[in-house]
């Protein structure tokens, strides 16, 4: 069955191995199935829910688009654009915001984590951000949305919004509730400094993540210093229980070497973390170095990236403006 794929990544700098394994690597696999229609969005409207330096934001928009392309997303096969170029996203978001309930948003764990203790000081944008995400997806009738595990709740909210809109306005087929595509084993890559915490762009400890733009030496050093425990490595999944660092490092290795976790467990059974770390650094360098070099090369030609985004936005506009028009008619505008 042909799938309509939509996903987005925020241009907030520090794209890391979690973004790559949890999302971008899968975008490429999905795009390479010729039956799929793929749209990948640099979600710059989402980025400003937390204050961004305008010059840095501009660079980060280009860098995120460059990371898509360098990882293997082909602008000839997939639509790549940045959200702020397509007004339908904001328009749709307002209307859907009138459907979403406060109680639904109050349950969003990511808002609670990001807003921290003092949620009175968080921006309203941060609070309503999952509604904009629903607008992104529903405007394109996306059937499948590839994301990491942390976005699961936002996708459930998107489905709820679609269903409530369809019910309230008696248009059962207008908004299509999407299916999440979340990988079983590698959907949550953890910090290299603490296997119980998600690898994140905003972690102040630089050593907690591998950035897509890290050099070979930086990668080797970060893996060398990654937290471990004192036991030898186990040979079965049961043995990973209660050992988050072993699970994380073996998960990263499995994903990048495209082998299942059972094969990785067999490969390292009874060995030390130092053996795993050596092979892990090698595979990360092998996979990320070409991407990192390609990102730098692409960024040296800003016009090229900008043109890809503008061309992608024209295609996205064509689809989403028609959908938002229908939504407006149904609402009574
Ligand atoms: P963002 O920019 O935080 O992250 C981009 C993608 O990377 C995944 N990810 C991870 N996966 C595994 N392990 C990790 N440690 C890790 N950290 C991040 C995220 O799950 C995501 O798939 N709200 C979204 C962006 C968005 C979007 C959309 C996604 C806006 N509109 C529509 C899908 C569809 C976000 O902030 O992702």
């Amino acid at each position: 069955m042909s799938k309509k794929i939509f996903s987005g990544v925020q241009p907030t700098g520090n794209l890391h191995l979690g973004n790559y394994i949890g999302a971008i690597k899968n975008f490429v696999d999905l795009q390479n199935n010729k039956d799929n229609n793929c749209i990948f969005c640099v979600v710059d409207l989402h980025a400003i829910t937390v204050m961004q330096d305008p010059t840095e934001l501009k660079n980060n928009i280009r860098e995120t688009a460059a990371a898509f392309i360098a990882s293997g997303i082909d602008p000839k096969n997939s639509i790549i654009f940045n959200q702020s170029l397509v007004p339908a996203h904001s328009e749709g978001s307002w209307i859907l915001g009138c459907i979403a309930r406060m109680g639904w948003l109050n349950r969003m764990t990511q808002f609670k984590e990001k807003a921290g203790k003092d949620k009175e000081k968080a921006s309203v944008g941060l609070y309503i951000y999952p509604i904009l995400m629903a607008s992104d997806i529903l405007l394109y009738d996306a059937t499948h949305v590839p994301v990491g595990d942390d976005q699961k709740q936002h996708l459930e909210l998107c489905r709820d919004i679609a269903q409530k809109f369809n019910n309230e306005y008696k248009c059962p087929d207008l908004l299509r509730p999407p299916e999440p595509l979340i990988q079983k084993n590698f959907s949550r890559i953890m910090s290299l400094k603490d296997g119980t915490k998600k690898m994140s762009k905003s972690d102040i400890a630089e050593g907690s993540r591998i950035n897509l733009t890290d050099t070979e030496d930086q990668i080797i050093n970060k893996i060398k210093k990654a937290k471990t425990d004192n036991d030898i490595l186990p040979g079965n999944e049961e043995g990973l229980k209660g050992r988050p660092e072993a699970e994380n490092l073996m998960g990263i290795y499995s994903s990048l070497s495209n082998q299942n976790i059972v094969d990785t467990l067999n490969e390292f059974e009874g060995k030390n973390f130092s053996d795993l770390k050596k092979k892990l650094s090698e595979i990360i360098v092998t996979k990320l170095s070409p991407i990192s070099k390609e990102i730098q090369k692409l960024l040296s030609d800003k016009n090229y990236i900008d043109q890809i985004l503008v061309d992608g936005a024209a295609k996205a506009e064509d689809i989403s403006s028609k959908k938002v028009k229908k939504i407006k008619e149904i609402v009574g505008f």
Side-chain angles (χ1 to χ4, degrees):
M1 186 197 87
S2 108
K3 295 182 180 137
K4 282 191 196 167
I5 309 288
F6 185 98
S7 199
V9 175
Q10 289 195 59
T12 38
N14 293 338
L15 276 184
H16 53 71
L17 197 57
N19 299 126
Y20 180 71
I21 293 176
I24 301 173
K25 182 171 178 279
N26 308 322
F27 299 175
V28 179
D29 294 340
L30 287 162
Q31 168 204 256
N32 291 343
N33 178 341
K34 293 280 171 274
D35 286 338
N36 296 337
N37 288 310
C38 298
I39 306 181
F40 300 115
C41 186
V42 178
V43 291
D44 48 7
L45 296 172
H46 279 100
I48 61 161
T49 54
V50 174
M51 187 62 200
Q52 303 291 326
D53 175 89
T55 312
E56 268 177 38
L57 179 60
K58 221 177 199 76
N59 290 333
N60 288 336
I61 292 168
R62 291 191 181 112
E63 190 173 304
T64 307
F68 284 175
I69 300 165
S71 303
I73 296 171
D74 181 350
K76 289 198 199 81
N77 295 331
S78 303
I79 299 178
I80 302 176
F81 73 108
N82 57 313
Q83 202 183 21
S84 65
L85 290 179
V86 181
H89 291 247
S90 312
E91 270 188 288
S93 179
W94 176 259
I95 298 173
L96 298 178
C98 299
I99 290 293
R101 304 291 95 178
M102 294 276 286
W104 299 356
L105 286 178
N106 286 340
R107 285 201 287 275
M108 295 297 114
T109 51
Q110 194 166 81
F111 174 76
K112 289 180 198 159
E113 278 162 24
K114 288 198 174 170
K117 283 198 192 91
D118 201 357
K119 66 176 193 294
E120 299 287 310
K121 287 204 176 132
S123 74
V124 175
L126 191 66
Y127 181 66
I128 60 173
Y129 147 142
I131 302 173
L132 176 60
M133 181 164 161
S135 174
D136 297 341
I137 296 165
L138 298 173
L139 288 175
Y140 297 91
D141 295 323
T143 58
H144 294 82
V145 181
V147 283
D149 180 70
D150 60 341
Q151 297 300 319
K152 196 172 169 195
Q153 203 185 23
H154 293 159
L155 287 182
E156 280 157 13
L157 182 89
C158 173
R159 292 176 60 86
D160 288 344
I161 292 176
Q163 273 150 0
K164 187 167 166 64
F165 186 96
N166 292 345
N167 286 340
E168 300 268 325
Y169 287 105
K170 302 189 178 44
C171 49
D173 299 320
L174 188 77
L175 299 182
R176 181 180 182 128
E179 294 298 328
L181 284 181
I182 300 175
Q183 303 183 87
K184 268 204 202 96
N185 286 315
F186 322 117
S187 61
R188 202 171 170 81
I189 303 301
M190 309 309 272
S191 156
L192 299 178
K193 291 285 174 202
D194 177 353
T196 63
K197 255 175 66 184
K198 197 182 72 171
M199 184 179 284
S200 155
K201 298 173 188 180
S202 51
D203 197 321
I204 44 167
E206 182 56 37
S208 67
R209 68 181 160 263
I210 307 272
N211 298 314
L212 293 193
T213 49
D214 278 349
T215 61
E216 198 172 323
D217 285 348
Q218 282 169 321
I219 293 173
I220 293 169
N221 263 323
K222 285 179 182 179
I223 294 297
K224 210 178 263 168
K225 290 187 188 148
K227 188 175 170 199
T228 60
D229 58 42
N230 296 324
D231 286 338
I232 55 166
L233 294 164
N236 55 45
E237 287 186 74
E238 191 59 28
L240 287 174
K241 291 219 170 100
R243 300 185 63 188
E245 285 79 22
E247 188 175 2
N248 190 37
L249 297 182
M250 289 181 114
I252 296 173
Y253 182 80
S254 298
S255 170
L256 294 181
S257 48
N258 292 320
Q259 71 179 13
N260 64 42
I261 192 80
V262 175
D263 290 339
T264 300
L265 284 157
N266 287 336
E267 187 178 341
F268 291 102
E269 178 170 16
K271 297 198 169 148
N272 294 316
F273 271 97
S274 56
D275 300 311
L276 170 61
K277 282 183 166 185
K278 190 167 167 289
K279 294 209 74 178
L280 182 58
S281 301
E282 278 167 20
I283 189 104
I284 299 177
V285 168
T286 307
K287 295 284 168 175
L288 292 197
S289 287
I291 296 177
S292 167
K293 285 193 190 111
E294 187 61 19
I295 292 176
Q296 296 317 327
K297 199 172 129 204
L298 287 163
L299 287 175
S300 66
D301 188 353
K302 294 194 170 96
N303 292 337
Y304 174 72
I305 302 269
D306 290 351
Q307 196 55 49
I308 285 175
L309 291 171
V310 168
D311 291 347
K315 293 181 199 153
E317 165 93 35
D318 196 43
I319 305 168
S320 58
S321 62
K322 290 187 185 117
K323 190 78 184 183
V324 95
K325 188 163 175 268
K326 272 194 207 144
I327 295 175
K328 285 161 92 174
E329 276 163 16
I330 283 179
V331 167
F333 293 155

